[in-house]
Amino acid sequence: MDTCYENGILCIRMNDGDDFFESLKDALARYDVRSGVVLSGVGMFRDITVNYFRGDGYNERHLPEPHEVVSITGSIAPDAGTGEVLPHIHCALAGGDNVVMGGHLSRATVNVLLELFIQSVAGGLMRREINPSNGLKELRLVE
């Protein structure tokens, strides 16, 4: 993995075989980025797990074969209780048939490469707290 950070933008190039979330958390820690917004990303994943929230839980879908990352977006914020940095990532993916599908990304291995760009948000303005009505760790904004 290669990284650089300038003017509040974290640039990450992940390599074939990198665990997406492990690498992302390592890059965030390297530059002490605790809150941010995913601006864009391009590349490929394999061994992917995407989820769809049904209201009372998630439908999980595993995609073992390589897929192009058509779009990737999300937010990064610390857990209000533990301070652990929690990426919340969604993506659209296209397989070899060029059919696009996506959802909440919960696992992925980089296939060939992934380039990711994140805008940091300074000052602790964002955090994740459990919403008691649905059990989800949701983004809360702090003024």
Side-chain angles (χ1 to χ4, degrees):
M1 176 177 64
D2 297 317
T3 61
C4 67
Y5 182 83
E6 189 170 342
N7 297 323
I9 297 179
L10 174 58
C11 304
I12 307 167
R13 184 200 189 277
M14 297 180 195
N15 300 309
D16 188 62
D18 287 349
D19 178 280
F20 172 74
F21 283 101
E22 241 178 62
S23 296
L24 175 57
K25 287 182 178 184
D26 287 349
L28 293 168
R30 182 177 298 166
Y31 297 99
D32 197 30
V33 175
R34 303 194 43 76
S35 298
V37 177
V38 176
L39 300 174
S40 70
V42 294
M44 291 183 82
F45 289 140
R46 66 178 180 267
D47 296 324
I48 309 154
T49 302
V50 291
N51 303 301
Y52 174 81
F53 185 65
R54 327 180 289 272
D56 63 346
Y58 283 95
N59 288 339
E60 184 176 277
R61 183 169 181 189
H62 181 68
L63 306 167
E65 65 280 354
H67 281 68
E68 289 276 355
V69 176
V70 176
S71 177
I72 189 165
T73 188
S75 59
I76 297 156
D79 180 281
T82 66
E84 177 187 1
V85 175
L86 301 173
H88 181 197
I89 307 295
H90 285 226
C91 65
L93 306 162
D97 56 5
N98 293 328
V99 172
V100 176
M101 60 84 55
H104 175 89
L105 185 65
S106 61
R107 189 180 89 200
T109 300
V110 174
N111 192 74
V112 183
L113 68 87
L114 182 80
E115 301 164 358
L116 191 65
F117 307 92
I118 298 168
Q119 173 69 58
S120 65
V121 176
L125 302 176
M126 302 179 345
R127 65 175 181 250
R128 295 215 176 278
E129 294 179 358
I130 294 211
N131 179 337
S133 69
N134 61 25
L136 297 176
K137 285 191 178 181
E138 296 181 353
L139 185 67
R140 296 287 180 242
L141 302 177
V142 181
E143 291 186 35

